[in-house]
Amino acid sequence: MRHQGWDELFEELLGAVPEVAIIVEFNNRFAEKSTQLLRCIACLDPRNSFANFDINKLVELAQMYGADFSEYECRVLRDQLETFVTEARADTEFLRCIDLGQLAMKMVQTDRHTHFRLLYRLIELALILPDATATVERAFSAMSVVKTELRNKMND
């Protein structure tokens, strides 16, 4: 019985918080570089016929991974992106993709990962980002525990 009405209350609260406040909170929590990284990765979203596909932002994403993409590869990537999005929008197999994981699998199944190798590399990097971030956070957390233990021993 306690749960009755929660959905309505939640919807009311969401309506009361202006979208601008949410954006401000997002910007306060994340550094500009991290925010831009997420904006660029969102351009890989295959939903709605690749509606968010933005070639300039995807090239910018590749440039953020300077160790993985040379200047020359960024120029080639631009051409690959233009060709890929045209082909993908005309292919019902790709239009059925609803997330980045499915897009990557579809590229492998259709052998497009070899034709658009730079785009595929970009997708791989976007897919491993959450895991890499979590791993780094766990490492810093473990270092904090070790430092605290060492400090406690030093005080004894």
Side-chain angles (χ1 to χ4, degrees):
M1 283 203 261
R2 284 185 8 205
H3 298 292
Q4 289 178 337
W6 281 109
D7 291 336
E8 293 83 16
L9 178 62
F10 184 69
E11 290 298 321
E12 185 179 325
L13 288 173
L14 280 179
V17 178
E19 195 172 307
V20 173
I22 294 170
I23 293 170
V24 168
E25 180 65 21
F26 181 80
N27 287 336
N28 289 339
R29 288 185 181 255
F30 299 101
E32 179 60 31
K33 191 81 167 173
S34 299
T35 303
Q36 190 59 18
L37 180 69
L38 293 173
R39 284 185 189 126
C40 291
I41 288 173
C43 294
L44 288 167
D45 186 0
R47 289 178 291 182
N48 299 323
S49 300
F50 296 87
N52 293 328
F53 203 82
D54 184 327
I55 291 173
N56 292 327
K57 285 191 178 175
L58 292 172
V59 170
E60 180 183 341
L61 178 61
Q63 290 168 340
M64 288 181 196
Y65 287 105
D68 295 293
F69 291 92
S70 69
E71 214 174 291
Y72 171 75
E73 286 176 321
C74 287
R75 286 192 300 270
V76 172
L77 175 63
R78 181 175 297 281
D79 293 334
Q80 283 189 10
L81 291 168
E82 289 173 2
T83 304
F84 175 79
V85 76
T86 302
E87 287 183 17
R89 285 178 174 156
D91 188 333
T92 56
E93 295 282 323
F94 280 91
L95 294 178
R96 287 192 209 122
C97 295
I98 59 169
D99 62 32
L100 204 50
Q102 284 184 352
L103 177 60
M105 287 190 299
K106 190 57 64 183
M107 286 184 76
V108 171
Q109 290 168 352
T110 59
D111 201 38
R112 287 204 171 108
H113 71 293
T114 58
H115 301 299
F116 301 103
R117 63 179 184 77
L118 297 174
L119 171 59
Y120 189 72
R121 185 186 314 161
L122 199 60
I123 291 171
E124 285 179 316
L125 290 168
L127 286 171
I128 65 167
L129 181 65
D131 186 53
T133 303
T135 302
V136 169
E137 286 177 8
R138 282 193 297 271
F140 277 112
S141 178
M143 281 181 11
S144 177
V145 169
V146 170
K147 281 183 171 181
T148 303
E149 289 296 318
L150 290 173
R151 284 187 191 125
N152 289 342
K153 287 182 181 179
M154 289 173 61
N155 288 337
D156 292 340

mmCIF file of all heavy atoms in Angstrom, residues 19-62:
data_model
loop_
_atom_site.group_PDB
_atom_site.id
_atom_site.type_symbol
_atom_site.label_atom_id
_atom_site.label_comp_id
_atom_site.label_asym_id
_atom_site.label_seq_id
_atom_site.Cartn_x
_atom_site.Cartn_y
_atom_site.Cartn_z
ATOM 1 N N GLU A 19 14.197 21.572 -16.864
ATOM 2 C CA GLU A 19 15.250 20.884 -17.606
ATOM 3 C C GLU A 19 16.589 21.608 -17.463
ATOM 4 O O GLU A 19 17.638 20.981 -17.387
ATOM 5 C CB GLU A 19 14.857 20.792 -19.082
ATOM 6 C CG GLU A 19 15.669 19.808 -19.869
ATOM 7 C CD GLU A 19 15.113 19.626 -21.259
ATOM 8 O OE1 GLU A 19 13.921 19.343 -21.410
ATOM 9 O OE2 GLU A 19 15.912 19.753 -22.199
ATOM 10 N N VAL A 20 16.541 22.914 -17.369
ATOM 11 C CA VAL A 20 17.770 23.701 -17.226
ATOM 12 C C VAL A 20 18.494 23.325 -15.944
ATOM 13 O O VAL A 20 19.720 23.206 -15.914
ATOM 14 C CB VAL A 20 17.448 25.217 -17.258
ATOM 15 C CG1 VAL A 20 18.683 26.031 -16.948
ATOM 16 C CG2 VAL A 20 16.866 25.599 -18.592
ATOM 17 N N ALA A 21 17.740 23.104 -14.862
ATOM 18 C CA ALA A 21 18.356 22.733 -13.586
ATOM 19 C C ALA A 21 19.080 21.396 -13.708
ATOM 20 O O ALA A 21 20.157 21.207 -13.133
ATOM 21 C CB ALA A 21 17.305 22.676 -12.486
ATOM 22 N N ILE A 22 18.497 20.479 -14.468
ATOM 23 C CA ILE A 22 19.130 19.172 -14.662
ATOM 24 C C ILE A 22 20.437 19.337 -15.434
ATOM 25 O O ILE A 22 21.456 18.741 -15.095
ATOM 26 C CB ILE A 22 18.166 18.210 -15.390
ATOM 27 C CG1 ILE A 22 16.962 17.910 -14.487
ATOM 28 C CG2 ILE A 22 18.870 16.924 -15.790
ATOM 29 C CD1 ILE A 22 15.832 17.173 -15.173
ATOM 30 N N ILE A 23 20.406 20.157 -16.460
ATOM 31 C CA ILE A 23 21.611 20.400 -17.255
ATOM 32 C C ILE A 23 22.691 21.071 -16.416
ATOM 33 O O ILE A 23 23.870 20.705 -16.483
ATOM 34 C CB ILE A 23 21.268 21.236 -18.511
ATOM 35 C CG1 ILE A 23 20.390 20.416 -19.453
ATOM 36 C CG2 ILE A 23 22.532 21.710 -19.217
ATOM 37 C CD1 ILE A 23 19.791 21.201 -20.587
ATOM 38 N N VAL A 24 22.297 22.042 -15.594
ATOM 39 C CA VAL A 24 23.258 22.722 -14.716
ATOM 40 C C VAL A 24 23.878 21.720 -13.752
ATOM 41 O O VAL A 24 25.094 21.710 -13.541
ATOM 42 C CB VAL A 24 22.583 23.881 -13.956
ATOM 43 C CG1 VAL A 24 23.480 24.403 -12.844
ATOM 44 C CG2 VAL A 24 22.214 24.994 -14.918
ATOM 45 N N GLU A 25 23.060 20.857 -13.166
ATOM 46 C CA GLU A 25 23.570 19.839 -12.243
ATOM 47 C C GLU A 25 24.534 18.895 -12.958
ATOM 48 O O GLU A 25 25.593 18.541 -12.433
ATOM 49 C CB GLU A 25 22.411 19.044 -11.638
ATOM 50 C CG GLU A 25 22.836 17.965 -10.669
ATOM 51 C CD GLU A 25 23.504 18.501 -9.417
ATOM 52 O OE1 GLU A 25 23.312 19.674 -9.076
ATOM 53 O OE2 GLU A 25 24.244 17.728 -8.782
ATOM 54 N N PHE A 26 24.186 18.490 -14.170
ATOM 55 C CA PHE A 26 25.061 17.621 -14.962
ATOM 56 C C PHE A 26 26.408 18.295 -15.192
ATOM 57 O O PHE A 26 27.456 17.697 -15.006
ATOM 58 C CB PHE A 26 24.379 17.300 -16.306
ATOM 59 C CG PHE A 26 25.172 16.389 -17.189
ATOM 60 C CD1 PHE A 26 25.175 15.025 -16.980
ATOM 61 C CD2 PHE A 26 25.925 16.893 -18.243
ATOM 62 C CE1 PHE A 26 25.898 14.179 -17.797
ATOM 63 C CE2 PHE A 26 26.655 16.057 -19.062
ATOM 64 C CZ PHE A 26 26.635 14.699 -18.833
ATOM 65 N N ASN A 27 26.368 19.571 -15.579
ATOM 66 C CA ASN A 27 27.609 20.309 -15.830
ATOM 67 C C ASN A 27 28.433 20.499 -14.570
ATOM 68 O O ASN A 27 29.660 20.542 -14.630
ATOM 69 C CB ASN A 27 27.311 21.658 -16.482
ATOM 70 C CG ASN A 27 26.892 21.516 -17.931
ATOM 71 O OD1 ASN A 27 27.218 20.532 -18.579
ATOM 72 N ND2 ASN A 27 26.153 22.482 -18.422
ATOM 73 N N ASN A 28 27.772 20.624 -13.425
ATOM 74 C CA ASN A 28 28.502 20.777 -12.163
ATOM 75 C C ASN A 28 29.172 19.487 -11.724
ATOM 76 O O ASN A 28 30.196 19.512 -11.058
ATOM 77 C CB ASN A 28 27.559 21.265 -11.056
ATOM 78 C CG ASN A 28 27.143 22.700 -11.251
ATOM 79 O OD1 ASN A 28 27.814 23.460 -11.943
ATOM 80 N ND2 ASN A 28 26.024 23.069 -10.665
ATOM 81 N N ARG A 29 28.609 18.358 -12.082
ATOM 82 C CA ARG A 29 29.147 17.074 -11.639
ATOM 83 C C ARG A 29 30.285 16.557 -12.518
ATOM 84 O O ARG A 29 31.112 15.796 -12.061
ATOM 85 C CB ARG A 29 28.047 16.022 -11.591
ATOM 86 C CG ARG A 29 27.090 16.233 -10.460
ATOM 87 C CD ARG A 29 26.119 15.084 -10.404
ATOM 88 N NE ARG A 29 25.184 15.292 -9.346
ATOM 89 C CZ ARG A 29 25.219 14.635 -8.191
ATOM 90 N NH1 ARG A 29 26.150 13.754 -7.965
ATOM 91 N NH2 ARG A 29 24.316 14.865 -7.281
ATOM 92 N N PHE A 30 30.279 16.941 -13.782
ATOM 93 C CA PHE A 30 31.260 16.400 -14.706
ATOM 94 C C PHE A 30 32.106 17.509 -15.317
ATOM 95 O O PHE A 30 31.606 18.588 -15.611
ATOM 96 C CB PHE A 30 30.578 15.612 -15.838
ATOM 97 C CG PHE A 30 29.786 14.439 -15.359
ATOM 98 C CD1 PHE A 30 28.409 14.515 -15.241
ATOM 99 C CD2 PHE A 30 30.416 13.265 -15.010
ATOM 100 C CE1 PHE A 30 27.673 13.433 -14.787
ATOM 101 C CE2 PHE A 30 29.697 12.175 -14.556
ATOM 102 C CZ PHE A 30 28.319 12.264 -14.438
ATOM 103 N N ALA A 31 33.357 17.214 -15.527
ATOM 104 C CA ALA A 31 34.253 18.173 -16.173
ATOM 105 C C ALA A 31 33.814 18.369 -17.618
ATOM 106 O O ALA A 31 33.179 17.496 -18.220
ATOM 107 C CB ALA A 31 35.692 17.653 -16.131
ATOM 108 N N GLU A 32 34.153 19.519 -18.181
ATOM 109 C CA GLU A 32 33.760 19.843 -19.553
ATOM 110 C C GLU A 32 34.244 18.780 -20.536
ATOM 111 O O GLU A 32 33.532 18.389 -21.462
ATOM 112 C CB GLU A 32 34.291 21.224 -19.948
ATOM 113 C CG GLU A 32 33.952 21.632 -21.362
ATOM 114 C CD GLU A 32 32.466 21.717 -21.665
ATOM 115 O OE1 GLU A 32 31.675 22.027 -20.770
ATOM 116 O OE2 GLU A 32 32.090 21.445 -22.825
ATOM 117 N N LYS A 33 35.466 18.297 -20.335
ATOM 118 C CA LYS A 33 36.023 17.276 -21.238
ATOM 119 C C LYS A 33 35.183 16.000 -21.191
ATOM 120 O O LYS A 33 34.886 15.407 -22.235
ATOM 121 C CB LYS A 33 37.485 16.989 -20.832
ATOM 122 C CG LYS A 33 38.249 16.178 -21.814
ATOM 123 C CD LYS A 33 38.754 17.044 -22.920
ATOM 124 C CE LYS A 33 39.782 16.287 -23.727
ATOM 125 N NZ LYS A 33 40.183 17.004 -24.895
ATOM 126 N N SER A 34 34.768 15.591 -20.000
ATOM 127 C CA SER A 34 33.943 14.389 -19.856
ATOM 128 C C SER A 34 32.581 14.589 -20.497
ATOM 129 O O SER A 34 32.051 13.694 -21.163
ATOM 130 C CB SER A 34 33.752 14.041 -18.381
ATOM 131 O OG SER A 34 34.984 13.770 -17.777
ATOM 132 N N THR A 35 32.010 15.767 -20.304
ATOM 133 C CA THR A 35 30.712 16.067 -20.897
ATOM 134 C C THR A 35 30.795 16.035 -22.416
ATOM 135 O O THR A 35 29.929 15.464 -23.078
ATOM 136 C CB THR A 35 30.226 17.458 -20.421
ATOM 137 O OG1 THR A 35 30.187 17.466 -18.999
ATOM 138 C CG2 THR A 35 28.851 17.768 -20.961
ATOM 139 N N GLN A 36 31.830 16.626 -22.961
ATOM 140 C CA GLN A 36 31.994 16.635 -24.414
ATOM 141 C C GLN A 36 32.211 15.224 -24.950
ATOM 142 O O GLN A 36 31.703 14.869 -26.011
ATOM 143 C CB GLN A 36 33.138 17.565 -24.824
ATOM 144 C CG GLN A 36 33.229 17.810 -26.304
ATOM 145 C CD GLN A 36 31.964 18.429 -26.901
ATOM 146 O OE1 GLN A 36 31.124 18.985 -26.215
ATOM 147 N NE2 GLN A 36 31.834 18.315 -28.201
ATOM 148 N N LEU A 37 32.955 14.419 -24.203
ATOM 149 C CA LEU A 37 33.173 13.026 -24.592
ATOM 150 C C LEU A 37 31.834 12.297 -24.699
ATOM 151 O O LEU A 37 31.566 11.601 -25.679
ATOM 152 C CB LEU A 37 34.086 12.334 -23.575
ATOM 153 C CG LEU A 37 34.419 10.871 -23.823
ATOM 154 C CD1 LEU A 37 35.311 10.729 -25.038
ATOM 155 C CD2 LEU A 37 35.097 10.273 -22.599
ATOM 156 N N LEU A 38 30.964 12.483 -23.715
ATOM 157 C CA LEU A 38 29.655 11.834 -23.739
ATOM 158 C C LEU A 38 28.791 12.354 -24.884
ATOM 159 O O LEU A 38 28.073 11.583 -25.526
ATOM 160 C CB LEU A 38 28.947 12.043 -22.399
ATOM 161 C CG LEU A 38 29.593 11.348 -21.207
ATOM 162 C CD1 LEU A 38 28.910 11.768 -19.910
ATOM 163 C CD2 LEU A 38 29.573 9.845 -21.366
ATOM 164 N N ARG A 39 28.867 13.656 -25.143
ATOM 165 C CA ARG A 39 28.104 14.220 -26.266
ATOM 166 C C ARG A 39 28.554 13.614 -27.594
ATOM 167 O O ARG A 39 27.740 13.325 -28.468
ATOM 168 C CB ARG A 39 28.285 15.732 -26.320
ATOM 169 C CG ARG A 39 27.503 16.484 -25.288
ATOM 170 C CD ARG A 39 27.654 17.982 -25.511
ATOM 171 N NE ARG A 39 27.082 18.697 -24.399
ATOM 172 C CZ ARG A 39 27.723 19.606 -23.674
ATOM 173 N NH1 ARG A 39 28.968 19.939 -23.971
ATOM 174 N NH2 ARG A 39 27.137 20.207 -22.666
ATOM 175 N N CYS A 40 29.846 13.443 -27.739
ATOM 176 C CA CYS A 40 30.378 12.874 -28.985
ATOM 177 C C CYS A 40 29.986 11.408 -29.126
ATOM 178 O O CYS A 40 29.593 10.967 -30.216
ATOM 179 C CB CYS A 40 31.895 13.042 -29.037
ATOM 180 S SG CYS A 40 32.433 14.752 -29.218
ATOM 181 N N ILE A 41 30.071 10.653 -28.047
ATOM 182 C CA ILE A 41 29.708 9.229 -28.095
ATOM 183 C C ILE A 41 28.225 9.074 -28.442
ATOM 184 O O ILE A 41 27.837 8.161 -29.178
ATOM 185 C CB ILE A 41 30.056 8.527 -26.768
ATOM 186 C CG1 ILE A 41 31.576 8.385 -26.653
ATOM 187 C CG2 ILE A 41 29.386 7.158 -26.673
ATOM 188 C CD1 ILE A 41 32.053 7.865 -25.321
ATOM 189 N N ALA A 42 27.387 9.995 -27.960
ATOM 190 C CA ALA A 42 25.955 9.936 -28.258
ATOM 191 C C ALA A 42 25.682 10.023 -29.758
ATOM 192 O O ALA A 42 24.650 9.549 -30.235
ATOM 193 C CB ALA A 42 25.227 11.055 -27.522
ATOM 194 N N CYS A 43 26.612 10.580 -30.512
ATOM 195 C CA CYS A 43 26.444 10.697 -31.971
ATOM 196 C C CYS A 43 26.546 9.351 -32.676
ATOM 197 O O CYS A 43 26.223 9.240 -33.858
ATOM 198 C CB CYS A 43 27.473 11.670 -32.551
ATOM 199 S SG CYS A 43 27.214 13.351 -31.982
ATOM 200 N N LEU A 44 26.993 8.329 -31.971
ATOM 201 C CA LEU A 44 27.083 6.989 -32.553
ATOM 202 C C LEU A 44 25.768 6.209 -32.418
ATOM 203 O O LEU A 44 25.654 5.103 -32.930
ATOM 204 C CB LEU A 44 28.211 6.193 -31.883
ATOM 205 C CG LEU A 44 29.628 6.612 -32.220
ATOM 206 C CD1 LEU A 44 30.619 5.974 -31.262
ATOM 207 C CD2 LEU A 44 29.962 6.269 -33.655
ATOM 208 N N ASP A 45 24.804 6.765 -31.726
ATOM 209 C CA ASP A 45 23.527 6.103 -31.471
ATOM 210 C C ASP A 45 22.829 5.764 -32.790
ATOM 211 O O ASP A 45 22.521 6.654 -33.581
ATOM 212 C CB ASP A 45 22.646 7.023 -30.628
ATOM 213 C CG ASP A 45 21.352 6.364 -30.196
ATOM 214 O OD1 ASP A 45 21.110 5.198 -30.546
ATOM 215 O OD2 ASP A 45 20.570 7.036 -29.490
ATOM 216 N N PRO A 46 22.536 4.469 -33.040
ATOM 217 C CA PRO A 46 21.942 4.084 -34.321
ATOM 218 C C PRO A 46 20.422 4.264 -34.395
ATOM 219 O O PRO A 46 19.843 4.109 -35.471
ATOM 220 C CB PRO A 46 22.310 2.607 -34.429
ATOM 221 C CG PRO A 46 22.378 2.135 -33.018
ATOM 222 C CD PRO A 46 22.912 3.316 -32.234
ATOM 223 N N ARG A 47 19.788 4.601 -33.272
ATOM 224 C CA ARG A 47 18.319 4.711 -33.271
ATOM 225 C C ARG A 47 17.824 5.813 -34.204
ATOM 226 O O ARG A 47 18.537 6.768 -34.485
ATOM 227 C CB ARG A 47 17.805 4.968 -31.854
ATOM 228 C CG ARG A 47 17.937 3.736 -30.965
ATOM 229 C CD ARG A 47 17.485 4.023 -29.588
ATOM 230 N NE ARG A 47 18.454 4.946 -28.980
ATOM 231 C CZ ARG A 47 18.390 5.387 -27.753
ATOM 232 N NH1 ARG A 47 17.403 5.032 -26.983
ATOM 233 N NH2 ARG A 47 19.315 6.197 -27.286
ATOM 234 N N ASN A 48 16.593 5.656 -34.652
ATOM 235 C CA ASN A 48 15.919 6.640 -35.520
ATOM 236 C C ASN A 48 16.746 6.966 -36.764
ATOM 237 O O ASN A 48 16.975 8.136 -37.081
ATOM 238 C CB ASN A 48 15.598 7.918 -34.747
ATOM 239 C CG ASN A 48 14.679 7.664 -33.578
ATOM 240 O OD1 ASN A 48 13.778 6.835 -33.663
ATOM 241 N ND2 ASN A 48 14.916 8.346 -32.476
ATOM 242 N N SER A 49 17.201 5.933 -37.429
ATOM 243 C CA SER A 49 17.974 6.093 -38.672
ATOM 244 C C SER A 49 19.213 6.960 -38.469
ATOM 245 O O SER A 49 19.529 7.822 -39.280
ATOM 246 C CB SER A 49 17.109 6.708 -39.777
ATOM 247 O OG SER A 49 16.019 5.890 -40.054
ATOM 248 N N PHE A 50 19.892 6.718 -37.359
ATOM 249 C CA PHE A 50 21.128 7.448 -37.050
ATOM 250 C C PHE A 50 20.869 8.962 -36.975
ATOM 251 O O PHE A 50 21.656 9.766 -37.459
ATOM 252 C CB PHE A 50 22.225 7.136 -38.074
ATOM 253 C CG PHE A 50 22.654 5.706 -38.067
ATOM 254 C CD1 PHE A 50 21.985 4.759 -38.820
ATOM 255 C CD2 PHE A 50 23.726 5.303 -37.293
ATOM 256 C CE1 PHE A 50 22.374 3.420 -38.804
ATOM 257 C CE2 PHE A 50 24.120 3.968 -37.268
ATOM 258 C CZ PHE A 50 23.446 3.030 -38.023
ATOM 259 N N ALA A 51 19.766 9.332 -36.342
ATOM 260 C CA ALA A 51 19.366 10.742 -36.257
ATOM 261 C C ALA A 51 20.409 11.611 -35.550
ATOM 262 O O ALA A 51 20.558 12.784 -35.878
ATOM 263 C CB ALA A 51 18.022 10.861 -35.541
ATOM 264 N N ASN A 52 21.128 11.057 -34.580
ATOM 265 C CA ASN A 52 22.123 11.834 -33.831
ATOM 266 C C ASN A 52 23.499 11.835 -34.489
ATOM 267 O O ASN A 52 24.427 12.434 -33.956
ATOM 268 C CB ASN A 52 22.264 11.286 -32.408
ATOM 269 C CG ASN A 52 21.016 11.495 -31.595
ATOM 270 O OD1 ASN A 52 20.295 12.461 -31.784
ATOM 271 N ND2 ASN A 52 20.742 10.569 -30.699
ATOM 272 N N PHE A 53 23.627 11.156 -35.607
ATOM 273 C CA PHE A 53 24.916 11.005 -36.280
ATOM 274 C C PHE A 53 25.457 12.375 -36.681
ATOM 275 O O PHE A 53 24.839 13.097 -37.452
ATOM 276 C CB PHE A 53 24.753 10.113 -37.509
ATOM 277 C CG PHE A 53 26.004 9.447 -37.960
ATOM 278 C CD1 PHE A 53 26.443 8.292 -37.360
ATOM 279 C CD2 PHE A 53 26.742 9.977 -39.000
ATOM 280 C CE1 PHE A 53 27.606 7.655 -37.792
ATOM 281 C CE2 PHE A 53 27.902 9.357 -39.435
ATOM 282 C CZ PHE A 53 28.326 8.195 -38.826
ATOM 283 N N ASP A 54 26.594 12.762 -36.117
ATOM 284 C CA ASP A 54 27.208 14.063 -36.393
ATOM 285 C C ASP A 54 28.686 13.816 -36.708
ATOM 286 O O ASP A 54 29.483 13.507 -35.814
ATOM 287 C CB ASP A 54 27.057 14.982 -35.185
ATOM 288 C CG ASP A 54 27.591 16.380 -35.422
ATOM 289 O OD1 ASP A 54 28.578 16.539 -36.178
ATOM 290 O OD2 ASP A 54 27.038 17.326 -34.834
ATOM 291 N N ILE A 55 29.034 13.936 -37.957
ATOM 292 C CA ILE A 55 30.386 13.615 -38.417
ATOM 293 C C ILE A 55 31.436 14.469 -37.710
ATOM 294 O O ILE A 55 32.467 13.958 -37.278
ATOM 295 C CB ILE A 55 30.483 13.744 -39.952
ATOM 296 C CG1 ILE A 55 29.652 12.627 -40.589
ATOM 297 C CG2 ILE A 55 31.931 13.684 -40.432
ATOM 298 C CD1 ILE A 55 29.502 12.719 -42.086
ATOM 299 N N ASN A 56 31.175 15.752 -37.555
ATOM 300 C CA ASN A 56 32.157 16.630 -36.908
ATOM 301 C C ASN A 56 32.430 16.212 -35.468
ATOM 302 O O ASN A 56 33.584 16.195 -35.027
ATOM 303 C CB ASN A 56 31.695 18.089 -36.955
ATOM 304 C CG ASN A 56 31.703 18.637 -38.365
ATOM 305 O OD1 ASN A 56 32.536 18.263 -39.186
ATOM 306 N ND2 ASN A 56 30.769 19.512 -38.665
ATOM 307 N N LYS A 57 31.372 15.852 -34.742
ATOM 308 C CA LYS A 57 31.567 15.424 -33.351
ATOM 309 C C LYS A 57 32.266 14.066 -33.276
ATOM 310 O O LYS A 57 33.035 13.815 -32.352
ATOM 311 C CB LYS A 57 30.241 15.395 -32.611
ATOM 312 C CG LYS A 57 29.759 16.780 -32.264
ATOM 313 C CD LYS A 57 28.605 16.759 -31.312
ATOM 314 C CE LYS A 57 28.254 18.198 -31.002
ATOM 315 N NZ LYS A 57 27.099 18.350 -30.201
ATOM 316 N N LEU A 58 32.013 13.202 -34.233
ATOM 317 C CA LEU A 58 32.683 11.896 -34.224
ATOM 318 C C LEU A 58 34.165 12.033 -34.570
ATOM 319 O O LEU A 58 34.994 11.327 -34.001
ATOM 320 C CB LEU A 58 31.965 10.931 -35.172
ATOM 321 C CG LEU A 58 30.562 10.532 -34.692
ATOM 322 C CD1 LEU A 58 29.835 9.736 -35.758
ATOM 323 C CD2 LEU A 58 30.644 9.764 -33.386
ATOM 324 N N VAL A 59 34.493 12.951 -35.451
ATOM 325 C CA VAL A 59 35.913 13.217 -35.725
ATOM 326 C C VAL A 59 36.559 13.835 -34.482
ATOM 327 O O VAL A 59 37.688 13.500 -34.120
ATOM 328 C CB VAL A 59 36.073 14.128 -36.966
ATOM 329 C CG1 VAL A 59 37.511 14.598 -37.120
ATOM 330 C CG2 VAL A 59 35.626 13.386 -38.222
ATOM 331 N N GLU A 60 35.822 14.709 -33.804
ATOM 332 C CA GLU A 60 36.320 15.289 -32.554
ATOM 333 C C GLU A 60 36.566 14.195 -31.514
ATOM 334 O O GLU A 60 37.563 14.218 -30.788
ATOM 335 C CB GLU A 60 35.299 16.297 -32.009
ATOM 336 C CG GLU A 60 35.718 16.966 -30.723
ATOM 337 C CD GLU A 60 34.657 17.906 -30.175
ATOM 338 O OE1 GLU A 60 33.751 18.324 -30.923
ATOM 339 O OE2 GLU A 60 34.750 18.218 -28.969
ATOM 340 N N LEU A 61 35.666 13.209 -31.460
ATOM 341 C CA LEU A 61 35.841 12.076 -30.551
ATOM 342 C C LEU A 61 37.131 11.332 -30.873
ATOM 343 O O LEU A 61 37.906 10.998 -29.974
ATOM 344 C CB LEU A 61 34.638 11.135 -30.643
ATOM 345 C CG LEU A 61 34.664 9.876 -29.791
ATOM 346 C CD1 LEU A 61 34.749 10.209 -28.304
ATOM 347 C CD2 LEU A 61 33.436 9.024 -30.075
ATOM 348 N N ALA A 62 37.381 11.096 -32.145
ATOM 349 C CA ALA A 62 38.619 10.413 -32.550
ATOM 350 C C ALA A 62 39.838 11.235 -32.145
ATOM 351 O O ALA A 62 40.851 10.685 -31.704
ATOM 352 C CB ALA A 62 38.614 10.164 -34.062
#
